Amino acid sequence: MEQEFIAAWERNRAEAEKLGVRMRPLDLRGAKRVLSGHRDSDGFALLAQKERLDLSLEALSVNRRFTELFSDEEANNALTRLLEAGYRF
């Protein structure tokens, strides 16, 4: 499951790069650290401007395929950020 998450993150990063949005590579530990923090992930604001929050770490972490990898707190932080940015599921 973790390897699937990393592969999906790499695909999202490549797609974001095509839009001019740079996001750093992350392993699961790094993703969890970002999601448990108090700031948005790299590129989140730019992805929101481009209406592509589906490529964000936050969106990926609340995807049904990967929810078991994250704590309730991490998932809630991600969901809150997405909703506050106007993301529609």
Side-chain angles (χ1 to χ4, degrees), residues 8-9 11-13 15-16 19 23 44 47-48 50-63 82 87-89:
W9 176 241
R11 286 190 299 275
N12 284 9
R13 286 184 61 235
E15 189 67 26
L19 299 171
M23 299 185 297
F44 187 89
L47 290 172
K50 295 177 183 290
E51 298 182 2
R52 290 303 311 267
L53 282 173
D54 59 302
L55 299 175
S56 70
L57 175 63
E58 287 80 357
L60 191 60
S61 68
V62 297
N63 182 299
L82 289 165
Y87 184 66
R88 295 185 185 270
F89 290 86

Side-chain angles (χ1 to χ4, degrees), residues 16-17 20-24 42-43 46:
E17 183 80 27
V21 179
R22 293 187 53 121
M23 299 185 297
R24 67 184 144 150
D42 290 349
L46 289 173

Side-chain angles (χ1 to χ4, degrees), residues 20-77:
V21 179
R22 293 187 53 121
M23 299 185 297
R24 67 184 144 150
L26 292 171
D27 59 10
L28 184 59
R29 187 188 319 140
K32 292 168 102 25
R33 190 172 34 246
V34 169
L35 295 173
S36 64
H38 297 289
R39 67 176 196 86
D40 299 335
S41 62
D42 290 349
F44 187 89
L46 289 173
L47 290 172
Q49 289 174 358
K50 295 177 183 290
E51 298 182 2
R52 290 303 311 267
L53 282 173
D54 59 302
L55 299 175
S56 70
L57 175 63
E58 287 80 357
L60 191 60
S61 68
V62 297
N63 182 299
R64 279 188 294 221
R65 296 181 319 176
F66 304 119
T67 54
E68 68 185 51
L69 295 174
F70 299 97
S71 70
D72 288 345
E73 179 183 356
E74 292 159 348
N76 286 336
N77 285 344

